């Protein structure tokens, strides 16, 4: 097979999986215009339309879907064959792509990047921030990061760091104006800074104490999708904010935010790095998994 033909087929598969020229272009490190030209050339040479295109969406035609179903396993086999040869190299090579929420990237994966890349100079890391529940196989990721209860059963999961907890915090001036909640139900009378997931749902605030569990759907004038924006609003006194404790430590120490309901904020299991059992593991990703395992803090 000519290398140009293979590159065109790989481009088609990336677009069909992502259902987006922009996302596929980012995945392959190309411009959208270059990817669009590649697809036009492929469709013209094959004499059949492979993708439905509108201003808002991209989806495979029936012919494109059938091609993708037969093509993707072949592309996976090619990648596995190339990586098998890489196993004979003295050093692993390739790219490791990880999908994770911002807190997991910032406090679990980003600190590993420098030492891992220094130890493996022929490997590249691609760390993508995303709170959506994406199909990591469909979108070309080696692994994702989520809490344990969010994982599908056909995934292998390894702990990524230690336990964590979320804290509810308020700026001193906000607490002076509006009072300090004494129990979770009091939050229903407070302005809360809400976090909306990509799917549209609002992040619930969960609490537990002495065997009693309480879940609050927060209400308030501001809804965000980024913890840094939420922290800024909390510091500005817009309302109460719920953040990972690691985010909050510096501003708690400086007095910018004050924890409330601490006795109601339970310790949660660690983040988990997860990956599919059915997918061939590259030498680069296998090396990364080993590095993560060696970097985990010892159990106490």
């Amino acid at each position: 097979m000519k290398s140009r033909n293979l590159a065109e087929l790989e481009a088609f598969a990336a677009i069909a999986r992502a259902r987006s020229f922009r996302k596929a272009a980012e995945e392959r490190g190309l411009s959208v215009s270059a990817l669009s030209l590649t697809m036009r050339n492929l469709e013209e040479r094959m004499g059949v339309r492979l993708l439905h295109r509108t201003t808002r969406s991209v989806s495979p035609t029936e012919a494109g879907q059938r091609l993708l179903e037969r093509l993707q396993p072949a592309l996976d086999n090619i990648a596995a064959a190339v990586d098998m040869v890489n196993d004979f190299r003295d050093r692993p090579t390739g790219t490791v792509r990880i999908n994770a929420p911002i807190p997991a990237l910032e406090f679990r994966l980003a600190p590993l990047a420098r030492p891992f890349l220094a130890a493996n100079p022929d490997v590249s890391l691609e760390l993508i921030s995303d709170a959506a529940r994406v199909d990591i196989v469909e979108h070309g990721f080696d692994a994702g990061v989520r809490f344990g209860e969010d994982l599908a059963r056909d995934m292998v999961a390894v702990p990524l760091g230690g336990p964590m907890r979320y804290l509810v915090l308020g700026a001193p001036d906000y607490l002076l104006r509006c009072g300090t909640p004494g129990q979770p139900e009091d939050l229903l009378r407070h302005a809360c800074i809400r976090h909306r997931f990509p799917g549209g749902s609002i992040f619930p605030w969960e609490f537990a104490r002495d065997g009693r569990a309480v879940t609050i759907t927060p209400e308030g004038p501001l809804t965000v999708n980024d913890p840094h924006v939420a922290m800024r609003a909390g510091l500005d006194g817009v309302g109460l904010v719920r953040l990972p404790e690691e985010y909050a430590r510096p501003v708690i120490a400086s007095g910018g935010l004050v924890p409330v309901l601490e006795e109601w904020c339970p310790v949660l299991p660690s983040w988990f790095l997860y990956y599919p059992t059915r997918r061939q593991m590259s030498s680069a990703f296998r090396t990364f998994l080993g590095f993560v395992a060696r970097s985990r803090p010892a159990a106490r």
Side-chain angles (χ1 to χ4, degrees):
M1 180 183 290
K2 295 181 180 179
S3 59
R4 185 191 69 178
N5 295 354
L6 177 60
E8 289 175 344
L9 291 172
E10 288 176 331
F12 158 72
I15 298 166
R17 287 194 311 265
R19 300 198 171 216
S20 164
F21 275 86
R22 180 184 58 80
K23 291 181 180 179
E26 290 174 354
E27 175 185 324
R28 296 184 60 77
L30 300 171
S31 68
V32 173
S33 59
L35 205 57
S36 181
L37 178 61
T38 297
M39 273 307 307
R40 285 201 299 271
N41 291 338
L42 177 62
E43 289 178 324
E44 287 175 4
R45 192 172 67 256
M46 298 188 74
V48 62
R49 181 173 290 277
L50 299 174
L51 296 171
H52 292 299
R53 303 167 176 85
T54 71
T55 56
R56 293 188 176 184
S57 66
V58 177
S59 61
T61 63
E62 182 179 356
Q65 185 61 40
R66 291 190 180 185
L67 175 61
L68 181 64
E69 290 170 358
R70 298 290 297 273
L71 178 63
Q72 191 60 61
L75 293 176
D76 290 342
N77 286 337
I78 291 172
V82 171
D83 200 69
M84 178 185 66
V85 175
N86 287 334
D87 285 341
F88 289 90
R89 293 167 53 95
D90 293 333
R91 300 188 302 193
T93 184
T95 299
V96 177
R97 301 186 72 235
I98 309 291
N99 175 288
I102 291 176
L105 282 182
E106 187 165 349
F107 292 105
R108 296 293 186 264
L109 291 172
L112 300 179
R114 180 177 178 179
F116 173 75
L117 295 173
N120 300 278
D122 294 333
V123 176
S124 298
L125 267 181
E126 189 170 334
L127 305 178
I128 303 300
S129 167
D130 193 348
R133 294 185 180 183
V134 302
D135 184 325
I136 58 173
V137 175
E138 181 181 348
H139 288 80
F141 291 101
D142 293 287
V145 177
R146 293 294 181 269
F147 286 121
E149 62 268 22
D150 293 334
L151 302 181
R153 292 185 178 180
D154 61 344
M155 295 289 170
V156 177
V158 296
L160 189 63
M164 60 176 294
R165 68 172 179 163
Y166 278 78
L167 296 177
V168 178
L169 307 119
D173 69 312
Y174 174 86
L175 297 175
L176 184 63
R177 285 186 286 113
C178 302
T180 300
Q183 57 185 359
E185 290 84 356
D186 294 342
L187 295 172
L188 298 175
R189 297 188 293 273
H190 280 266
C192 297
I193 298 162
R194 312 191 309 164
H195 183 106
R196 189 180 298 279
F197 289 120
S201 63
I202 295 295
F203 185 28
W205 293 12
E206 298 177 345
F207 304 93
R209 181 183 181 186
D210 299 331
R212 178 176 171 234
V214 179
T215 298
I216 300 294
T217 299
E219 295 292 340
L222 179 64
T223 302
V224 302
N225 69 346
D226 185 294
H228 295 99
V229 177
M231 178 184 287
R232 180 69 264 167
L235 288 166
D236 290 342
V238 174
L240 298 176
V241 62
R242 188 169 185 256
L243 294 168
E245 187 172 8
E246 288 162 307
Y247 267 92
R249 283 174 185 155
V251 290
I252 292 173
S254 69
L257 289 175
V258 178
V260 299
L261 300 172
E262 276 194 273
E263 68 276 14
W264 282 95
C265 297
V267 175
L268 303 173
S270 68
W271 296 100
F272 283 86
L273 183 76
Y274 69 95
Y275 56 94
T277 58
R278 63 184 183 278
R279 188 173 185 178
Q280 178 71 28
M281 188 184 298
S282 70
S283 61
F285 182 55
R286 188 162 52 247
T287 301
F288 182 75
L289 283 178
F291 186 87
V292 168
R294 293 191 298 274
S295 301
R296 287 202 300 269
R300 295 181 179 179

